[in-house]
Structure formats: C-alpha cells, structure tokens
Amino acid sequence: MSYNYKKLFGNREIVIFDIDGTLVSTIPLHIDCSREAIRKVTGLNVKKDEEITRHFGKTATMCISGILHDQGINPESKIVKKILKVWKKIILQKIRKLDEKTVIPGILPLLTKLKKEKKIILSITGNPKATGESILHNTKIRKFFDDCIYSTHKYKGKKILQRRHMLELAFERAQIGSQKRIPKSRVIVVGDAAVDISAAYEAKFDSIAVGTGPHTKEKIMKEKPTFWVDHF
C-alpha cells in the first residue's frame, strides 16, 4: 500500500468517488468518443488529446460546449445536443467491451476495505445515467456504491451544470440514506481531475487528488487538494 489509509479515510463516514480516471481506466475511451462525435456532426477533427481532456470532469454537456468553444465554434444548444446524441450511441457501444480489467489497480482492495468498514460510498460523474451505470456494471464495481449521482440528476429542481452541485446532492442523499446528520468534516472526495478538486474546495469538503487521470499534478495542485496520492 503506497498511502496511509488511516490518515485519508480513518475518520470519514462518507467517501465520494469520481468514476472516469479515478476508478476505471476509461479516459482513452472518452477521448475517442468525444473526438468521433464532434467530427461526425461538425466535420472538425480535434487533433490534440489535451484539447479534449482539459474539459473532463464537467458534465457531458459542458464538456462538449467547452471543446467547441476552444475550437472557435459557437456551442449553440442545437449543435451540442446533436453531438451528445451521437456521442451517447458511440460510447454505449464501446462500453460493452469493458470488464474488470478496466478497473484501476488498487481500487478493488480500497473499495472492499471501505465497504467492510461500513463507510457510505458514492460515485459522481458528468456522464448521463445510462453511460455511468453501464461503466460501473460492466466493470463489476456497482455493488460497492450506496448511491451514484449522474449529470441527468437534478439539484434543487434544476439541471445539474456544476460539479459542486453533484457533490452537494451526493452529500444530501447520503445523509437521507443513513438517517443521520453527518458533518462535512466526515466527508472526503476522491478525484483525478482539477474540476473534482476545485468543486470539493468550493463545497467545503476535504479531497484526495489521485494521479491516475489525464491532468498533471501541477494543474491539480493549483486547486488545493487536502491530500495527493500517485495511486491507490
């Protein structure tokens, strides 16, 4: 074990995980699907991976909008909706090929230990529910999670656009499920992207930044994570 479990998770009651790049190695898949969907709808070929991954961690809608904006294309809602429709078809087909080998090394022992200690484990993702659930089920890790928050959920009656709102919703639902009031100091957020950490900071949750995703340590550390680990 390359990290201090007790220091990171010992006094936590709720652990909230990002999915892609944190739990499972699906970043290359998301890059390919985003690139292909944008090319099919607009004819544009986004050449550099970094032009796509810099927006990872956001909701699917905000991710596509950001990529288009950076490429000089007006991210009007009609174009974004068309791209998302194509993207969903492509990614759902490719997700079928995922299995337990896609789970990042070290994650299964960690989830097993957290579950054994009766921690409340949740996941959040910018993916729509169908995509996120397929990833978790095909990789055989859905059983570890008490609840999962997707971009298709609503927060205070409105569509989720900000990562922070996913965290707040996860926190609310965890407390309802446990039927007790849990202080934010007992919550830890785990993510591989800069937006995971900045959202945790904004929502006043401690966070663990993990170096298994597409963002550099330098970029992530600017968002003030509570802890950093190279991997679990």
Side-chain angles (χ1 to χ4, degrees):
M1 186 179 290
S2 61
Y3 61 97
N4 187 325
Y5 176 89
K6 187 175 181 180
K7 181 178 180 181
L8 300 183
F9 301 104
N11 69 337
R12 309 295 175 172
E13 294 185 56
I14 301 173
V15 184
I16 306 174
F17 286 93
D18 165 61
I19 295 179
D20 300 296
T22 302
L23 298 171
V24 290
S25 299
T26 46
I27 297 301
L29 180 149
H30 278 284
I31 293 172
D32 291 344
C33 292
S34 299
R35 180 178 284 124
E36 185 176 347
I38 290 171
R39 179 175 50 77
K40 283 188 173 183
V41 174
T42 69
L44 173 70
N45 183 29
V46 183
K47 296 180 179 180
K48 296 180 180 179
D49 289 355
E50 199 275 331
E51 294 175 329
I52 297 173
T53 59
R54 71 168 61 121
H55 297 285
F56 281 5
K58 302 175 183 178
T59 63
T61 299
M62 297 303 289
C63 181
I64 294 298
S65 296
I67 295 169
L68 293 180
H69 179 270
D70 289 353
Q71 297 297 315
I73 297 177
N74 181 18
E76 57 179 295
S77 60
K78 288 183 179 180
I79 293 178
V80 173
K81 285 180 180 178
K82 284 182 180 179
I83 293 172
L84 283 174
K85 187 175 182 180
V86 174
W87 175 82
K88 287 175 185 177
K89 288 182 179 179
I90 296 170
I91 199 165
L92 285 174
Q93 288 178 345
K94 294 189 176 184
I95 284 173
R96 293 173 187 168
K97 298 179 182 179
L98 299 181
D99 57 24
E100 301 96 312
K101 295 178 183 177
T102 314
V103 179
I104 293 173
I107 289 298
L108 281 177
L110 173 58
L111 291 176
T112 301
K113 188 172 179 62
L114 291 171
K115 198 70 176 176
K116 185 178 181 180
E117 294 185 355
K118 299 186 181 338
K119 308 287 189 185
I120 302 170
I121 312 173
L122 302 98
S123 69
I124 64 168
T125 177
N127 291 313
K129 183 175 181 178
T131 306
E133 284 287 331
S134 294
I135 291 172
L136 294 176
H137 280 291
N138 289 353
T139 55
K140 305 292 192 297
I141 59 173
R142 178 62 179 86
K143 62 185 178 183
F144 291 102
F145 296 94
D146 297 285
D147 201 355
C148 302
I149 306 300
Y150 303 105
S151 62
T152 37
H153 277 108
K154 289 188 176 181
Y155 177 68
K156 294 186 177 179
K158 295 182 180 180
K159 184 178 180 180
I160 291 178
L161 294 176
Q162 296 183 37
R163 193 74 164 187
R164 176 171 59 86
H165 291 159
M166 285 188 184
L167 293 176
E168 294 285 8
L169 180 59
F171 181 52
E172 286 180 9
R173 288 169 63 136
Q175 292 187 95
I176 292 171
S178 67
Q179 297 184 327
K180 63 178 180 178
R181 192 175 184 84
I182 300 172
K184 285 192 171 185
S185 61
R186 296 286 186 176
V187 180
I188 193 85
V189 177
V190 187
D192 68 293
V195 69
D196 298 324
I197 307 308
S198 62
Y201 185 80
E202 290 168 8
K204 295 180 171 50
F205 295 124
D206 285 345
S207 62
I208 303 170
V210 58
T212 51
H215 294 171
T216 64
K217 182 175 182 179
E218 180 182 12
K219 180 175 182 177
I220 295 176
M221 292 305 289
K222 289 179 181 179
E223 305 303 333
K224 304 177 182 178
T226 313
F227 306 102
W228 167 272
V229 295
D230 292 324
H231 55 81
F232 289 113

